[in-house]
Amino acid sequence: MRKSIAVTAAGLAVTFFGLTACGSGSDSGKSGGKDDGTLVVGATAVPAGQVLTYIKDNLAAKAGLDLEIKEFTDYVLPNTALQEGSLDANLYQNQPFLDEFNKSKGTDLVPVVKAYLPPMGVYSKKIKDIAELADGATVAVPNETTNEGRALKLLAAKGLITLKAGSGTDASPADVTANPKHLKFKELDPAQLPRSLDDVDVAVINNNYAQDAGLSPAKDAILLESAKDNPYANLLAVKRGDEDDPRVEKLAKLLVSSDVKKFIAEKYKGSVLPVTSG
């Protein structure tokens, strides 16, 4: 009988321990552990990683935020990692890119706040002014849907090409209806564009990859996006349902704080522009 009682007690202890373990796991949601822990944020190195590092080193502790930054070198993995749960948030993309990514990949990611505008630019080692672009010149552009459309719209805004009426953020060379300079488009991975400058006449390069390569958008770009009515501000994004995570809310407030705006203005000197509201 003693043996039977001992076995039963042991079983109850195991059951209680198992329920306790399961219960502690469920506390990792909104009501407990997760929101009190480290916020893991994915970012490209420049400028997102630098902005987040400034926040981590100077502002996070006072705000009660424990911040971990994971850097990525591409535009796909930060979103897939966020969707799968190895990141709590990311900072590197704009709204058109996020919309297209959700549509094409079936992800469920949402914006929280706009942080800054990294203007896309046209760069060249062969000419000093966009007006010098020769007939038949080769133009390297990003091979990703929204970034390619963004690059073509920048060229169209300068009058170098005309895009089909109604062309959106997914515009491609197939949507070019007028090309008076007979430009030839070379579609490349965005990260390869700075390295292509030796082989093409000009390249339209995303801000972070330009700065990674030592280029100053404010000084070196021969054509740069205007900030006026620009939809391409980079934003803090999370998986749907995590918008009200207290850690995310703390980071969102810091990203649009006067301290961060001052840091951006002083560090990037016009190569990255702060936004005035979320």
Side-chain angles (χ1 to χ4, degrees):
M1 188 169 179
R2 285 199 199 97
K3 182 182 289 188
S4 176
I5 292 171
V7 169
T8 302
L12 287 172
V14 170
T15 301
F16 177 76
F17 178 79
L19 289 172
T20 302
C22 291
S24 65
S26 66
D27 286 342
S28 64
K30 297 295 179 192
S31 61
K34 176 180 173 182
D35 295 346
D36 297 328
T38 300
L39 183 71
V40 183
V41 184
T44 48
V46 181
Q50 293 174 335
V51 172
L52 290 171
T53 298
Y54 170 78
I55 290 174
K56 180 178 180 179
D57 292 346
N58 298 278
L59 307 174
K62 187 176 180 180
L65 177 64
D66 185 9
L67 186 62
E68 180 183 342
I69 305 161
K70 289 189 176 181
E71 291 190 353
F72 294 81
T73 58
D74 78 318
Y75 289 161
V76 175
L77 289 178
N79 272 348
T80 55
L82 180 57
Q83 180 70 25
E84 292 166 0
S86 57
L87 296 177
D88 298 307
N90 67 36
L91 176 64
Y92 78 102
Q93 66 193 315
N94 53 59
Q95 189 67 57
F97 182 90
L98 177 60
D99 291 342
E100 175 61 29
F101 196 96
N102 279 332
K103 180 180 177 181
S104 62
K105 304 294 185 182
T107 47
D108 193 21
L109 310 178
V110 295
V112 178
V113 69
K114 294 177 183 176
Y116 53 78
L117 173 67
M120 178 179 270
V122 179
Y123 300 82
S124 178
K125 288 187 176 181
K126 298 179 181 178
I127 60 175
K128 299 294 184 183
D129 192 297
I130 195 68
E132 301 170 10
L133 195 60
D135 189 273
T138 299
V139 181
V141 296
N143 65 357
E144 293 177 338
T145 302
T146 55
N147 282 309
E148 184 171 51
R150 182 180 181 183
L152 294 174
K153 284 179 175 294
L154 176 56
L155 298 175
K158 188 63 178 177
L160 295 168
I161 58 173
T162 301
L163 293 172
K164 181 171 60 180
S167 294
T169 55
D170 59 349
S172 74
D175 296 308
V176 175
T177 57
N179 185 1
K181 284 184 175 285
H182 307 98
L183 302 177
K184 300 172 184 174
F185 296 102
K186 187 172 185 178
E187 298 168 297
L188 297 173
D189 182 274
Q192 295 179 4
L193 289 166
R195 296 192 293 272
S196 76
L197 288 173
D198 289 325
D199 305 315
V200 300
D201 294 291
V202 298
V204 191
I205 306 176
N206 287 83
N207 189 286
N208 64 302
Y209 290 127
Q211 293 200 61
D212 279 344
L215 297 168
S216 167
K219 295 179 180 179
D220 298 324
I222 60 174
L223 180 61
L224 196 64
E225 277 182 332
S226 168
K228 184 179 180 181
D229 300 324
N230 194 309
Y232 296 108
N234 279 183
L235 49 84
L236 182 68
V238 297
K239 192 171 181 180
R240 187 178 300 279
D242 289 340
E243 302 96 314
D244 60 349
D245 183 324
R247 302 167 304 162
V248 172
E249 292 177 341
K250 289 176 184 177
L251 180 56
K253 289 179 181 178
L254 292 175
L255 281 168
V256 296
S257 67
S258 58
D259 286 329
V260 170
K261 290 176 184 176
K262 182 180 179 182
F263 168 76
I264 290 173
E266 292 179 352
K267 181 171 181 62
Y268 300 109
K269 296 177 171 58
S271 291
V272 178
L273 305 173
V275 295
T276 56
S277 65

mmCIF file of all heavy atoms in Angstrom, residues 136-173:
data_model
loop_
_atom_site.group_PDB
_atom_site.id
_atom_site.type_symbol
_atom_site.label_atom_id
_atom_site.label_comp_id
_atom_site.label_asym_id
_atom_site.label_seq_id
_atom_site.Cartn_x
_atom_site.Cartn_y
_atom_site.Cartn_z
ATOM 1 N N GLY A 136 21.970 55.657 -74.948
ATOM 2 C CA GLY A 136 22.322 54.245 -74.884
ATOM 3 C C GLY A 136 23.026 53.826 -73.612
ATOM 4 O O GLY A 136 23.545 52.703 -73.528
ATOM 5 N N ALA A 137 23.047 54.677 -72.608
ATOM 6 C CA ALA A 137 23.736 54.371 -71.351
ATOM 7 C C ALA A 137 23.087 53.179 -70.646
ATOM 8 O O ALA A 137 21.887 52.931 -70.784
ATOM 9 C CB ALA A 137 23.722 55.592 -70.437
ATOM 10 N N THR A 138 23.900 52.465 -69.892
ATOM 11 C CA THR A 138 23.412 51.335 -69.112
ATOM 12 C C THR A 138 23.123 51.789 -67.686
ATOM 13 O O THR A 138 23.986 52.380 -67.021
ATOM 14 C CB THR A 138 24.438 50.190 -69.083
ATOM 15 O OG1 THR A 138 24.667 49.734 -70.421
ATOM 16 C CG2 THR A 138 23.936 49.026 -68.235
ATOM 17 N N VAL A 139 21.910 51.503 -67.231
ATOM 18 C CA VAL A 139 21.463 51.913 -65.897
ATOM 19 C C VAL A 139 21.157 50.660 -65.084
ATOM 20 O O VAL A 139 20.282 49.872 -65.439
ATOM 21 C CB VAL A 139 20.200 52.794 -65.989
ATOM 22 C CG1 VAL A 139 19.756 53.228 -64.591
ATOM 23 C CG2 VAL A 139 20.449 54.008 -66.879
ATOM 24 N N ALA A 140 21.890 50.484 -63.986
ATOM 25 C CA ALA A 140 21.627 49.347 -63.094
ATOM 26 C C ALA A 140 20.531 49.730 -62.106
ATOM 27 O O ALA A 140 20.552 50.817 -61.523
ATOM 28 C CB ALA A 140 22.892 48.954 -62.354
ATOM 29 N N VAL A 141 19.565 48.841 -61.923
ATOM 30 C CA VAL A 141 18.441 49.080 -61.008
ATOM 31 C C VAL A 141 18.232 47.848 -60.143
ATOM 32 O O VAL A 141 18.637 46.742 -60.516
ATOM 33 C CB VAL A 141 17.136 49.411 -61.782
ATOM 34 C CG1 VAL A 141 17.272 50.713 -62.553
ATOM 35 C CG2 VAL A 141 16.756 48.258 -62.728
ATOM 36 N N PRO A 142 17.603 47.997 -58.970
ATOM 37 C CA PRO A 142 17.330 46.830 -58.120
ATOM 38 C C PRO A 142 16.397 45.852 -58.826
ATOM 39 O O PRO A 142 15.498 46.260 -59.563
ATOM 40 C CB PRO A 142 16.645 47.439 -56.890
ATOM 41 C CG PRO A 142 16.989 48.889 -56.919
ATOM 42 C CD PRO A 142 17.126 49.255 -58.360
ATOM 43 N N ASN A 143 16.596 44.571 -58.583
ATOM 44 C CA ASN A 143 15.754 43.564 -59.234
ATOM 45 C C ASN A 143 14.579 43.140 -58.367
ATOM 46 O O ASN A 143 13.899 42.163 -58.676
ATOM 47 C CB ASN A 143 16.590 42.345 -59.628
ATOM 48 C CG ASN A 143 17.161 41.590 -58.436
ATOM 49 O OD1 ASN A 143 16.994 42.000 -57.281
ATOM 50 N ND2 ASN A 143 17.855 40.497 -58.695
ATOM 51 N N GLU A 144 14.316 43.852 -57.269
ATOM 52 C CA GLU A 144 13.173 43.564 -56.413
ATOM 53 C C GLU A 144 12.006 44.447 -56.820
ATOM 54 O O GLU A 144 12.191 45.620 -57.162
ATOM 55 C CB GLU A 144 13.528 43.820 -54.952
ATOM 56 C CG GLU A 144 14.561 42.854 -54.411
ATOM 57 C CD GLU A 144 14.942 43.190 -52.987
ATOM 58 O OE1 GLU A 144 14.748 44.351 -52.572
ATOM 59 O OE2 GLU A 144 15.459 42.299 -52.311
ATOM 60 N N THR A 145 10.825 43.911 -56.726
ATOM 61 C CA THR A 145 9.647 44.570 -57.282
ATOM 62 C C THR A 145 9.493 46.019 -56.857
ATOM 63 O O THR A 145 9.514 46.925 -57.697
ATOM 64 C CB THR A 145 8.377 43.786 -56.895
ATOM 65 O OG1 THR A 145 8.495 42.442 -57.376
ATOM 66 C CG2 THR A 145 7.145 44.424 -57.508
ATOM 67 N N THR A 146 9.348 46.275 -55.572
ATOM 68 C CA THR A 146 9.062 47.653 -55.157
ATOM 69 C C THR A 146 10.271 48.563 -55.295
ATOM 70 O O THR A 146 10.132 49.748 -55.606
ATOM 71 C CB THR A 146 8.546 47.709 -53.710
ATOM 72 O OG1 THR A 146 9.489 47.068 -52.846
ATOM 73 C CG2 THR A 146 7.209 47.015 -53.583
ATOM 74 N N ASN A 147 11.469 48.026 -55.068
ATOM 75 C CA ASN A 147 12.666 48.855 -55.211
ATOM 76 C C ASN A 147 12.942 49.197 -56.668
ATOM 77 O O ASN A 147 13.422 50.288 -56.975
ATOM 78 C CB ASN A 147 13.870 48.162 -54.580
ATOM 79 C CG ASN A 147 13.869 48.280 -53.068
ATOM 80 O OD1 ASN A 147 13.724 49.369 -52.528
ATOM 81 N ND2 ASN A 147 14.003 47.162 -52.379
ATOM 82 N N GLU A 148 12.637 48.281 -57.580
ATOM 83 C CA GLU A 148 12.804 48.582 -59.001
ATOM 84 C C GLU A 148 11.802 49.652 -59.427
ATOM 85 O O GLU A 148 12.146 50.598 -60.142
ATOM 86 C CB GLU A 148 12.610 47.320 -59.839
ATOM 87 C CG GLU A 148 12.863 47.555 -61.329
ATOM 88 C CD GLU A 148 12.877 46.269 -62.118
ATOM 89 O OE1 GLU A 148 11.915 45.471 -61.979
ATOM 90 O OE2 GLU A 148 13.848 46.047 -62.861
ATOM 91 N N GLY A 149 10.556 49.503 -58.978
ATOM 92 C CA GLY A 149 9.560 50.520 -59.295
ATOM 93 C C GLY A 149 9.949 51.879 -58.743
ATOM 94 O O GLY A 149 9.772 52.908 -59.395
ATOM 95 N N ARG A 150 10.489 51.883 -57.553
ATOM 96 C CA ARG A 150 10.942 53.129 -56.930
ATOM 97 C C ARG A 150 12.066 53.770 -57.743
ATOM 98 O O ARG A 150 12.081 54.986 -57.968
ATOM 99 C CB ARG A 150 11.425 52.816 -55.509
ATOM 100 C CG ARG A 150 11.894 54.019 -54.718
ATOM 101 C CD ARG A 150 12.348 53.580 -53.327
ATOM 102 N NE ARG A 150 12.796 54.691 -52.515
ATOM 103 C CZ ARG A 150 13.291 54.583 -51.279
ATOM 104 N NH1 ARG A 150 13.385 53.367 -50.733
ATOM 105 N NH2 ARG A 150 13.676 55.647 -50.615
ATOM 106 N N ALA A 151 13.004 52.950 -58.203
ATOM 107 C CA ALA A 151 14.119 53.459 -59.010
ATOM 108 C C ALA A 151 13.624 54.049 -60.326
ATOM 109 O O ALA A 151 14.074 55.125 -60.756
ATOM 110 C CB ALA A 151 15.115 52.330 -59.278
ATOM 111 N N LEU A 152 12.698 53.366 -60.974
ATOM 112 C CA LEU A 152 12.175 53.852 -62.252
ATOM 113 C C LEU A 152 11.379 55.145 -62.065
ATOM 114 O O LEU A 152 11.440 56.046 -62.911
ATOM 115 C CB LEU A 152 11.308 52.777 -62.905
ATOM 116 C CG LEU A 152 12.060 51.510 -63.349
ATOM 117 C CD1 LEU A 152 11.077 50.453 -63.841
ATOM 118 C CD2 LEU A 152 13.091 51.842 -64.439
ATOM 119 N N LYS A 153 10.668 55.251 -60.961
ATOM 120 C CA LYS A 153 9.920 56.483 -60.691
ATOM 121 C C LYS A 153 10.866 57.661 -60.454
ATOM 122 O O LYS A 153 10.553 58.803 -60.818
ATOM 123 C CB LYS A 153 8.989 56.277 -59.490
ATOM 124 C CG LYS A 153 7.746 55.453 -59.822
ATOM 125 C CD LYS A 153 6.873 55.263 -58.594
ATOM 126 C CE LYS A 153 5.586 54.540 -58.965
ATOM 127 N NZ LYS A 153 4.702 55.331 -59.848
ATOM 128 N N LEU A 154 12.016 57.398 -59.851
ATOM 129 C CA LEU A 154 13.010 58.453 -59.661
ATOM 130 C C LEU A 154 13.527 58.944 -61.010
ATOM 131 O O LEU A 154 13.650 60.156 -61.236
ATOM 132 C CB LEU A 154 14.166 57.918 -58.806
ATOM 133 C CG LEU A 154 15.353 58.861 -58.572
ATOM 134 C CD1 LEU A 154 14.905 60.174 -57.949
ATOM 135 C CD2 LEU A 154 16.402 58.172 -57.697
ATOM 136 N N LEU A 155 13.798 58.015 -61.921
ATOM 137 C CA LEU A 155 14.252 58.407 -63.268
ATOM 138 C C LEU A 155 13.145 59.135 -64.020
ATOM 139 O O LEU A 155 13.405 60.104 -64.744
ATOM 140 C CB LEU A 155 14.689 57.155 -64.041
ATOM 141 C CG LEU A 155 15.869 56.371 -63.453
ATOM 142 C CD1 LEU A 155 16.107 55.098 -64.256
ATOM 143 C CD2 LEU A 155 17.142 57.229 -63.430
ATOM 144 N N ALA A 156 11.915 58.675 -63.835
ATOM 145 C CA ALA A 156 10.789 59.319 -64.518
ATOM 146 C C ALA A 156 10.562 60.730 -63.996
ATOM 147 O O ALA A 156 10.210 61.641 -64.759
ATOM 148 C CB ALA A 156 9.523 58.477 -64.342
ATOM 149 N N ALA A 157 10.761 60.927 -62.697
ATOM 150 C CA ALA A 157 10.575 62.259 -62.109
ATOM 151 C C ALA A 157 11.553 63.265 -62.693
ATOM 152 O O ALA A 157 11.264 64.469 -62.751
ATOM 153 C CB ALA A 157 10.743 62.178 -60.598
ATOM 154 N N LYS A 158 12.703 62.775 -63.150
ATOM 155 C CA LYS A 158 13.709 63.645 -63.773
ATOM 156 C C LYS A 158 13.463 63.790 -65.268
ATOM 157 O O LYS A 158 14.143 64.578 -65.934
ATOM 158 C CB LYS A 158 15.109 63.067 -63.512
ATOM 159 C CG LYS A 158 16.254 63.952 -63.933
ATOM 160 C CD LYS A 158 16.289 65.256 -63.160
ATOM 161 C CE LYS A 158 17.476 66.116 -63.572
ATOM 162 N NZ LYS A 158 17.493 67.423 -62.885
ATOM 163 N N GLY A 159 12.494 63.063 -65.824
ATOM 164 C CA GLY A 159 12.187 63.166 -67.241
ATOM 165 C C GLY A 159 13.041 62.283 -68.122
ATOM 166 O O GLY A 159 13.003 62.400 -69.360
ATOM 167 N N LEU A 160 13.793 61.365 -67.524
ATOM 168 C CA LEU A 160 14.662 60.491 -68.309
ATOM 169 C C LEU A 160 13.866 59.395 -69.006
ATOM 170 O O LEU A 160 14.271 58.898 -70.065
ATOM 171 C CB LEU A 160 15.737 59.875 -67.416
ATOM 172 C CG LEU A 160 16.732 60.877 -66.824
ATOM 173 C CD1 LEU A 160 17.559 60.225 -65.724
ATOM 174 C CD2 LEU A 160 17.636 61.425 -67.921
ATOM 175 N N ILE A 161 12.769 58.991 -68.421
ATOM 176 C CA ILE A 161 11.876 58.004 -69.018
ATOM 177 C C ILE A 161 10.438 58.418 -68.709
ATOM 178 O O ILE A 161 10.202 59.293 -67.870
ATOM 179 C CB ILE A 161 12.113 56.576 -68.474
ATOM 180 C CG1 ILE A 161 11.924 56.554 -66.950
ATOM 181 C CG2 ILE A 161 13.480 56.040 -68.877
ATOM 182 C CD1 ILE A 161 11.977 55.170 -66.326
ATOM 183 N N THR A 162 9.493 57.763 -69.381
ATOM 184 C CA THR A 162 8.075 57.935 -69.061
ATOM 185 C C THR A 162 7.498 56.561 -68.764
ATOM 186 O O THR A 162 7.764 55.600 -69.501
ATOM 187 C CB THR A 162 7.309 58.577 -70.229
ATOM 188 O OG1 THR A 162 7.884 59.851 -70.521
ATOM 189 C CG2 THR A 162 5.842 58.755 -69.886
ATOM 190 N N LEU A 163 6.746 56.476 -67.683
ATOM 191 C CA LEU A 163 6.127 55.208 -67.320
ATOM 192 C C LEU A 163 4.662 55.186 -67.741
ATOM 193 O O LEU A 163 4.016 56.225 -67.810
ATOM 194 C CB LEU A 163 6.230 54.983 -65.807
ATOM 195 C CG LEU A 163 7.637 54.761 -65.257
ATOM 196 C CD1 LEU A 163 7.606 54.760 -63.731
ATOM 197 C CD2 LEU A 163 8.231 53.456 -65.770
ATOM 198 N N LYS A 164 4.171 53.999 -67.999
ATOM 199 C CA LYS A 164 2.783 53.805 -68.382
ATOM 200 C C LYS A 164 1.869 54.426 -67.338
ATOM 201 O O LYS A 164 2.119 54.324 -66.130
ATOM 202 C CB LYS A 164 2.514 52.311 -68.521
ATOM 203 C CG LYS A 164 1.103 51.950 -68.955
ATOM 204 C CD LYS A 164 1.004 50.463 -69.282
ATOM 205 C CE LYS A 164 1.341 49.609 -68.085
ATOM 206 N NZ LYS A 164 1.245 48.151 -68.401
ATOM 207 N N ALA A 165 0.832 55.094 -67.782
ATOM 208 C CA ALA A 165 -0.119 55.722 -66.861
ATOM 209 C C ALA A 165 -0.652 54.704 -65.875
ATOM 210 O O ALA A 165 -1.027 53.584 -66.259
ATOM 211 C CB ALA A 165 -1.272 56.343 -67.652
ATOM 212 N N GLY A 166 -0.667 55.079 -64.617
ATOM 213 C CA GLY A 166 -1.172 54.190 -63.591
ATOM 214 C C GLY A 166 -0.142 53.231 -63.031
ATOM 215 O O GLY A 166 -0.467 52.419 -62.158
ATOM 216 N N SER A 167 1.100 53.316 -63.485
ATOM 217 C CA SER A 167 2.146 52.442 -62.954
ATOM 218 C C SER A 167 2.328 52.708 -61.477
ATOM 219 O O SER A 167 2.468 53.854 -61.045
ATOM 220 C CB SER A 167 3.471 52.685 -63.685
ATOM 221 O OG SER A 167 3.377 52.300 -65.034
ATOM 222 N N GLY A 168 2.329 51.631 -60.706
ATOM 223 C CA GLY A 168 2.459 51.775 -59.260
ATOM 224 C C GLY A 168 3.853 51.456 -58.785
ATOM 225 O O GLY A 168 4.830 51.555 -59.535
ATOM 226 N N THR A 169 3.936 51.037 -57.521
ATOM 227 C CA THR A 169 5.233 50.735 -56.940
ATOM 228 C C THR A 169 5.860 49.473 -57.535
ATOM 229 O O THR A 169 7.036 49.208 -57.313
ATOM 230 C CB THR A 169 5.103 50.546 -55.417
ATOM 231 O OG1 THR A 169 4.124 49.539 -55.146
ATOM 232 C CG2 THR A 169 4.674 51.847 -54.750
ATOM 233 N N ASP A 170 5.083 48.708 -58.294
ATOM 234 C CA ASP A 170 5.618 47.493 -58.905
ATOM 235 C C ASP A 170 6.017 47.707 -60.366
ATOM 236 O O ASP A 170 6.159 46.757 -61.131
ATOM 237 C CB ASP A 170 4.596 46.364 -58.823
ATOM 238 C CG ASP A 170 3.278 46.701 -59.519
ATOM 239 O OD1 ASP A 170 3.079 47.879 -59.880
ATOM 240 O OD2 ASP A 170 2.450 45.783 -59.690
ATOM 241 N N ALA A 171 6.247 48.964 -60.758
ATOM 242 C CA ALA A 171 6.643 49.262 -62.138
ATOM 243 C C ALA A 171 7.949 48.544 -62.485
ATOM 244 O O ALA A 171 8.832 48.381 -61.644
ATOM 245 C CB ALA A 171 6.807 50.774 -62.317
ATOM 246 N N SER A 172 8.050 48.135 -63.742
ATOM 247 C CA SER A 172 9.245 47.458 -64.249
ATOM 248 C C SER A 172 9.628 48.074 -65.585
ATOM 249 O O SER A 172 8.873 48.891 -66.136
ATOM 250 C CB SER A 172 8.971 45.961 -64.423
ATOM 251 O OG SER A 172 8.146 45.741 -65.568
ATOM 252 N N PRO A 173 10.790 47.716 -66.147
ATOM 253 C CA PRO A 173 11.164 48.246 -67.463
ATOM 254 C C PRO A 173 10.101 48.007 -68.541
ATOM 255 O O PRO A 173 10.019 48.765 -69.518
ATOM 256 C CB PRO A 173 12.461 47.502 -67.779
ATOM 257 C CG PRO A 173 13.074 47.278 -66.429
ATOM 258 C CD PRO A 173 11.899 46.961 -65.534
#
